[in-house]
Every structure is written in C-alpha cells, then in structure tokens.
Amino acid sequence: MRRLGVALLVFAAACSSGNGKASHDAVPSTTSAVPDGATRTIKVDGRERTYLVHRPSTIDPDDGTSLVVVLHGGFGSAAEARQSYGWDAKADAEHFVVAYPNGIDKAWNAGTCCGRPQIDGVDDVKFLGAMIDEVVKTETVVPDHVYATGISNGGMMAYRLACELPGKVAAIGPVAASMTVPCENPVPRPTGVLHIHGLDDQHVPYAGGVGTKGVAKDSRPSIPSVIERWRVIDGCTGTPASATSGAVTTVTSASCAAGTIVELVTVAGAGHQWPGSAPPNAVARRLLDLDEPSTALDATAVLWDFFSRQPQ
C-alpha cells in the first residue's frame, strides 16, 4: 500500500486524507491540543480544505522554527506525500515543521494544469496562503523561514505560489515539474529556487512541450527556460557554475538579489520521479507505466540543505 501511494504521486493532479480532524475555528494558539498528523480543516472560498502537520516533539513549543510545505503530485494526497518522501524523518533530525496540504480531487490548479481544480478555477494560491498563515501562528514558525516543495503538479503549484504570493515562501523546490503560469511580476521579495529534474522525464519533458506519458496534455515550457526566467526574476548575474558527479549535474546561480540562489539539478537516466524515494510496487509500475526513482541522490536531503542555506 505504501508503494502504491508512491506510484500515484507521479502523474499530475492531487487529493485528501487523514485520521483525526481539527477544525479551523477550533485550532488553538499552541500546538499541544492538536495531535501530530491529525487532519486540520480551514474554510477558503466557502469550501473546507484540509492539511496535515508534523511537528517534531523535540521542538520546544516556545521556540521559533522553520516550515516546509510539501505538495503532493497528481493522483496523490497529503497522507501519501507524508508517507513517501521522508520529510517527517528529515524534520525530526533537523527540527522543523512540515505541512502536507490536500488538493481538490487529487489535483492543484497550477495554471494550465491540472484536473478539475484547473478546469473550475479553484484558488489554490489563496488556500495555501491561508494555510501557511495558520501554521505560522499555531506552530510558532518564523515567517521568513517558510519553504515549499512538490512533485509534478505539486511542483507546478510551488512555482505558482512563489509567483503569485511573493514573500510568502523564502524558497521553493519543484521536482519533476515545470512552471505553468506567466510569473510576470513576482515582487516584493526574491525567492530561492532549486529545481530537480530527470533528463528522461516523459511526463514533464526537460525540453518542454507535451509529455508522451501521463494524463495531462497541456504544453509546458522547457526547464532551462524556466530557470532562466527565475534568474531574471532574482536578478542573478554572471555565468552559473556547473558541477557533475556521476549522473547528477548541478548548475548554480549564486550572484542573485538579496543573496538568493537559483539552482538546477538534473539526473541523467532518470524519469518522472522523486529521487531517493521508495520504488513503486510491480503491479503499480506495470499498470501505470511508472518510472523507478533514481538512487543518484536523496532529493529530500538536497532540498532541505538548500532551504537551510537561504538568506535569513
């Protein structure tokens, strides 16, 4: 079941899940009354939206901390993202909070993708902004220490969040995604970007266009063009530095506004996947034509290292 959850996360649309339930009106000003991992509810545009939170018990309730928002991929859910990518374990080791929001009908409205949220014009930016504000308050998160990551449709949503709520997150880490909004004027604050992509991804092709795999058939910009757009947004100058280790190539633009960093990590031979995650089971792999996660790097560890290096 765990591996099937991993499998379902790799397409391009999103969902909901959870155990207990804490309503938005009943969320306390401290964290002690909300069980770890309980489903929390917040009403946005008349619709109840849900999310999960993991706060390591080692964090003092009065201490300010960081927050990582993990956005599930298409056909995924908050619970599956929590189970699949190792963010709880990383949070326990590094002492930060993780929030796992649920999309509507297993999808996010990230621009030109995906599913019913995109068709119906669901305001997922508004939902995520409200959720972040709530978690910042209830979990004593330092507002400048909020980061967002996600895979596929979830990674696209991370881009949209950075474009349309600039300053809400200090950095984003899209995985196996592209940017499906124009992102014309994201001010007032630069946002760090670390993009991780398999060069053999056929759902979200590195060179752009329409993927030969997957459900969504909208055309997406190439990953190099997205990174170049963010170099312009963040005012990066000079020639990016490139380094290759085995299958992994990292291109870093460090001379950017306010000390931000724009970085692209590519993985040769890798498809549409979260590097370092558990592989899908054989049945799911065959039925859904899934790609094996690369073992060339641990994307969760790489992303947290990047987030923790952002200017404070």
Side-chain angles (χ1 to χ4, degrees):
M1 190 68 182
R2 178 177 183 276
R3 291 184 175 180
L4 180 57
V6 177
L8 294 176
L9 283 164
V10 300
F11 272 65
C15 150
S16 68
S17 181
N19 300 319
K21 196 168 187 177
S23 74
H24 175 46
D25 293 336
V27 170
S29 58
T30 62
T31 61
S32 58
V34 182
D36 186 76
T39 298
R40 305 187 186 194
T41 303
I42 184 171
K43 185 168 284 190
V44 178
D45 290 337
R47 186 198 304 263
E48 286 195 344
R49 303 296 301 266
T50 59
Y51 64 98
L52 313 178
V53 172
H54 173 64
R55 180 189 178 95
S57 60
T58 52
I59 302 176
D60 189 286
D62 297 323
D63 287 349
T65 187
S66 299
L67 168 65
V68 176
V69 177
V70 180
L71 299 161
H72 62 76
F75 301 117
S77 71
E80 289 164 340
R82 186 184 187 199
Q83 185 180 48
S84 301
Y85 300 132
W87 278 105
D88 279 13
K90 180 56 67 175
D92 291 342
E94 302 292 345
H95 310 292
F96 61 88
V97 172
V98 191
Y100 302 92
N102 277 304
I104 298 295
D105 281 2
K106 304 179 186 261
W108 303 102
N109 178 10
T112 61
C113 180
C114 293
R116 189 164 70 84
Q118 189 272 330
I119 294 170
D120 292 349
V122 173
D123 194 343
D124 281 320
V125 171
K126 185 175 182 180
F127 160 52
L128 293 173
M131 184 205 71
I132 289 171
D133 288 343
E134 186 163 271
V135 176
V136 165
K137 178 181 177 181
T138 62
E139 306 301 328
T140 60
V141 170
V142 178
D144 287 344
H145 293 202
V146 178
Y147 314 101
T149 183
I151 182 171
S152 192
N153 184 205
M156 298 172 195
M157 193 65 228
Y159 270 125
R160 185 167 196 177
L161 182 63
C163 290
E164 298 184 10
L165 277 186
K168 186 65 69 176
V169 293
I172 60 172
V175 178
S178 187
M179 189 165 70
T180 55
V181 290
C183 206
E184 294 175 347
N185 190 32
V187 293
R189 173 174 130 178
T191 303
V193 176
L194 168 58
H195 186 117
I196 299 175
H197 214 94
L199 293 179
D200 289 349
D201 192 330
Q202 296 178 57
H203 289 77
V204 183
Y206 180 77
V210 179
T212 58
K213 287 185 177 182
V215 175
K217 294 303 179 183
D218 55 310
S219 181
R220 290 84 180 259
S222 72
I223 307 311
S225 72
V226 171
I227 295 302
E228 182 56 33
R229 175 68 187 131
W230 276 95
R231 280 177 45 81
V232 172
I233 290 170
D234 280 3
C236 304
T237 60
T239 302
S242 180
T244 298
S245 177
V248 179
T249 297
T250 303
V251 180
T252 305
S253 304
S255 299
C256 306
T260 53
I261 302 169
V262 176
E263 193 162 277
L264 171 62
V265 175
T266 57
V267 186
H272 193 68
Q273 41 75 60
W274 184 285
S277 63
N281 64 37
V283 174
R285 186 187 305 115
R286 183 176 65 256
L287 291 177
L288 301 176
D289 195 17
L290 300 175
D291 298 325
E292 287 286 321
S294 172
T295 59
L297 79 159
D298 179 341
T300 300
V302 170
L303 285 163
W304 173 248
D305 177 69
F306 179 79
F307 293 155
S308 65
R309 288 188 283 116
Q310 296 307 300
Q312 308 299 334

